[in-house]
Amino acid sequence: MEFKMKENGFQGEFEFGTLDVSGNEEFGFRPFQLLVSSVAVCSGGVLRKVLEKKRITYDDITIQADVTRNEAGANEVTDIHLHFNIVGSSASDQQIEKSLEIAKRNCPIVQSVKDSIQVTESFKQM
């Protein structure tokens, strides 16, 4: 990956397109937004694969990410709580809980940050 410095941040070119990153939301995605998005979307993607492998059907999944930052320090992310809303699922709560555990163990992004950021999950079936 390569990022080129711009006047108000950095820019990377990828197969899908251009990614602008800046500490100022007017000029690009903020680094913490990308970090939290990576954790949430990786977790959701792995959960999706786990549910499909278990032949558990569902209509939709949305993820709410609640973030805690250490304002006394470098304003680093200390905790991310992911709440999964699972719509139209054929699974029991126990099956979803087990699937979330498997997803957490197999999400490379969660595993990358686990020693510095506490990632917790909850869910609601709708």
Side-chain angles (χ1 to χ4, degrees):
M1 281 188 219
E2 180 177 86
F3 291 89
K4 295 181 181 180
M5 188 170 72
K6 299 293 180 183
E7 184 176 340
N8 294 297
F10 288 83
Q11 188 175 74
E13 293 292 334
F14 300 93
E15 286 182 35
F16 185 73
T18 302
L19 177 64
D20 290 300
V21 182
S22 175
N24 183 334
E25 286 181 345
E26 293 179 27
F27 300 104
F29 294 101
R30 293 178 61 203
F32 103 90
Q33 292 170 326
L34 295 170
L35 173 69
V36 174
S37 297
S38 295
V39 170
V41 173
C42 180
S43 295
V46 175
L47 175 62
R48 199 172 164 173
K49 289 178 184 176
V50 170
L51 295 176
E52 289 170 4
K53 190 170 185 176
K54 291 183 171 195
R55 293 186 170 89
I56 295 172
T57 60
Y58 57 90
D59 295 327
D60 195 16
I61 298 173
T62 59
I63 307 165
Q64 172 68 40
D66 296 316
V67 180
T68 303
R69 297 177 77 172
N70 179 10
E71 294 179 15
N75 206 22
E76 69 273 18
V77 174
T78 59
D79 299 88
I80 300 173
H81 179 76
L82 303 175
H83 181 76
F84 295 84
N85 289 310
I86 303 170
V87 180
S89 171
S90 64
S92 68
D93 283 354
Q94 285 181 315
Q95 288 174 306
I96 297 294
E97 286 174 15
K98 183 67 176 169
S99 296
L100 280 171
E101 289 173 18
I102 294 168
K104 186 174 187 173
R105 282 196 316 265
N106 289 284
C107 171
I109 303 300
V110 170
Q111 292 304 306
S112 295
V113 302
K114 71 179 182 180
D115 293 332
S116 57
I117 300 173
Q118 181 177 2
V119 179
T120 56
E121 299 93 4
S122 61
F123 70 93
K124 180 177 182 178
Q125 294 203 68
M126 306 169 83

